[in-house]
Amino acid sequence: MDYHIYKLSFTTPCRFGSTAGLDKSDVICQADTFFSALANECIAFYGTDKLQILKQSVDKGQFLISDLLPYDEACLFLPKPLWTVDKKNKRESLTVIKTRMGGAKKLKKLQYIPIYDFENYLECMKTGKIYIEEEDDKYITADDIYQKQLIEKVNCRGEESLPYFMEQVHIKANCGLYFIAATAGSDDIKLLDKLLQLLVYTGIGGKRSSGYGKFTYTKEVLKDNNDGEDTSNLYHLLAKSQGQVYMSLSNMIPAQTEIDQLQEGSYRLLPRGGFITDENYSTVPLKRNRYFAVMHGSCFKQPLAGTVIDVNDNGSHPVYRYGKGIYVRLEL
C-alpha cells in the first residue's frame, strides 16, 4: 500500500458531530463523516457510478482513510491506545502506587499522544513507568491547538423565535487535522485529490451552509526517510510487519462475521447519529438511524477489516457510512 498524509488547516470555525447536542462539539472529525462529505461531492460532480467505483476500492481494502487527527505544526498526534497491559504479577511499592494514581486523572484526560513520544508512552505502558507526574503543570497535549466558544443563536423557523446555544471550535494557526490515505492504485488517490479540491469550498462538518469547516490543505507521501521526523515514524508504524497489537486509526464498523473477534480486543463503542443533508437526496435534512462504531485507539490481536454500511431509506441514491479499519502495529 502507498500512504499519503493530508494536513488540513481551517480558515473558519468548525463543528464536528457530538452526541451531547449542539452545545458540544468534537475537535476531531471521524472518518465516516469525512467519507460522507467526499461521497456527496463525488455524486454531485461525477455521479453515482463514480461513487460505486470508489466504494468498490474501499470494499476491497484498496482505498482506506483514517479519522482526522490533530497536528501542531510538524507534530502529529496518534490516539492513546485503548489497551491494558497485564500487571497482575507486578509488585509496586506504596509510594510508586500513590505517585502513579496521582497522575492517573491527567492521563485519563489525555486522548492523543505525539508521535515523537509514542515509543516512550508504549514503554511506560509495558513497564508501569509513570508517564505523567501529578505535579506536572505542562505536558504534551493536543488540547493546545484549539479553543472552543459557546455562542448564542436564534431559531426563527417556528412561529416563535427560540434561542439556543452552539459550540464552535477555532483551530489555531499552524495547527489543524490530518488524515492518512492508504491506496493500492493511483486512480483512487487522483479522485481523492479532485474531491478535496471541491471540499475546500463547501467545507466539512456541521453548519457548512453558515460558512463553517472551510480549509486549505497540503499533501505528502509517507515513506521511509529514516530522518526521525513524525512522518517517517508514522510510516514505520503503518508499514512495519512486527508488533502483536493492531491499533485502529479510524472509527470502524465490524462486519457481521467479525463481531466475535471483538471479544479478543480492547475497544470502546461510539454512538453515531446525525442528518442526511444532501439536497440531491432530500429537500429537507433527514435524521438517519443511529449505529455504533468502534472508536479509534481500539486494539486487537488481529485486525478487523470493517465494512461500509448503506443507511439509505428510499432516497434518490445510496448513503454510505464508512467503517473500514486502518491500523498501526504496536509492540506491547
Side-chain angles (χ1 to χ4, degrees):
M1 298 285 279
D2 295 325
Y3 297 100
H4 298 76
I5 181 172
Y6 292 81
K7 299 172 81 171
L8 277 58
S9 177
F10 289 88
T11 56
T12 65
C14 49
R15 266 196 57 80
F16 299 117
S18 169
T19 56
L22 272 176
D23 58 346
K24 296 291 182 184
S25 173
D26 286 340
V27 176
I28 62 102
C29 178
Q30 317 290 348
D32 55 356
T33 297
F34 186 62
F35 186 81
S36 293
L38 293 173
N40 287 341
E41 297 299 326
C42 190
I43 290 174
F45 287 89
Y46 300 104
T48 54
D49 289 345
K50 195 73 170 179
L51 177 60
Q52 291 301 327
I53 294 173
L54 181 63
K55 180 178 179 293
Q56 288 174 10
S57 293
V58 174
D59 288 336
K60 294 176 183 175
Q62 297 175 346
F63 175 71
L64 302 172
I65 57 173
S66 71
D67 287 349
L68 274 66
L69 302 168
Y71 76 85
D72 183 349
E73 296 187 351
C75 174
L76 305 174
F77 289 83
L78 286 176
K80 185 173 68 174
L82 299 174
W83 185 261
T84 302
V85 177
D86 185 8
K87 300 173 186 164
K88 60 184 178 182
N89 294 324
K90 182 178 176 60
R91 294 185 177 181
E92 294 179 324
S93 68
L94 184 59
T95 302
V96 171
I97 292 174
K98 286 182 177 179
T99 305
R100 178 164 55 81
M101 294 304 293
K105 288 184 179 179
K106 290 183 176 180
L107 185 60
K108 187 177 180 179
K109 293 180 180 177
L110 197 66
Q111 297 185 57
Y112 301 99
I113 308 295
I115 288 181
Y116 68 78
D117 203 40
F118 204 68
E119 288 296 330
N120 177 40
Y121 181 80
L122 297 181
E123 188 65 21
C124 290
M125 287 183 67
K126 289 188 289 186
T127 62
K129 181 182 173 184
I130 298 167
Y131 185 68
I132 296 178
E133 302 281 354
E134 182 181 12
E135 61 272 15
D136 280 353
D137 294 327
K138 183 68 177 178
Y139 49 89
I140 304 163
T141 173
D143 291 343
D144 294 333
I145 75 165
Y146 66 89
Q147 289 182 339
K148 289 186 174 182
Q149 182 183 21
L150 192 64
I151 59 174
E152 186 175 3
K153 309 276 283 186
V154 178
N155 184 352
C156 301
R157 293 180 179 175
E159 295 182 357
E160 182 181 359
S161 299
L162 296 174
Y164 68 93
F165 290 93
M166 186 188 77
E167 189 173 68
Q168 61 186 20
V169 177
H170 296 266
I171 298 183
K172 298 178 181 178
N174 300 321
C175 304
L177 303 177
Y178 78 93
F179 73 94
I180 302 157
T183 62
S186 60
D187 290 344
D188 293 323
I189 206 71
K190 289 179 181 176
L191 178 58
L192 175 62
D193 288 337
K194 291 178 180 177
L195 296 177
L196 273 174
Q197 291 167 13
L198 298 170
L199 267 183
V200 298
Y201 298 106
T202 54
I204 60 173
K207 297 294 181 182
R208 295 188 303 279
S209 61
S210 299
Y212 284 57
K214 302 290 193 303
F215 62 90
T216 60
Y217 72 93
T218 59
K219 172 187 174 184
E220 184 178 347
V221 179
L222 287 180
K223 52 188 177 182
D224 186 8
N225 291 327
N226 292 320
D227 54 8
E229 294 183 356
D230 279 9
T231 50
S232 180
N233 293 333
L234 179 57
Y235 175 83
H236 281 284
L237 288 169
L238 286 162
K240 74 179 184 180
S241 58
Q242 295 182 344
Q244 69 276 36
V245 174
Y246 293 80
M247 183 181 77
S248 175
L249 298 182
S250 64
N251 283 355
M252 187 260 302
I253 305 171
Q256 191 68 32
T257 55
E258 296 175 319
I259 298 297
D260 291 342
Q261 289 180 247
L262 289 176
Q263 299 178 17
E264 300 178 355
S266 180
Y267 63 92
R268 186 174 299 164
L269 293 178
L270 191 68
R272 304 294 290 155
F275 291 84
I276 302 171
T277 58
D278 182 9
E279 294 180 353
N280 295 319
Y281 183 87
S282 171
T283 55
V284 295
L286 295 178
K287 194 170 185 178
R288 53 178 163 74
N289 293 330
R290 295 180 77 195
Y291 60 93
F292 285 84
V294 176
M295 185 177 172
H296 63 221
S298 296
C299 296
F300 305 95
K301 292 186 176 179
Q302 292 295 328
L304 281 68
T307 187
V308 177
I309 60 174
D310 184 0
V311 297
N312 170 42
D313 187 12
N314 297 317
S316 60
H317 60 71
V319 180
Y320 294 127
R321 301 298 292 176
Y322 182 91
K324 299 288 285 187
I326 179 171
Y327 297 89
V328 292
R329 296 183 69 168
L330 311 178
E331 295 181 9
L332 287 172

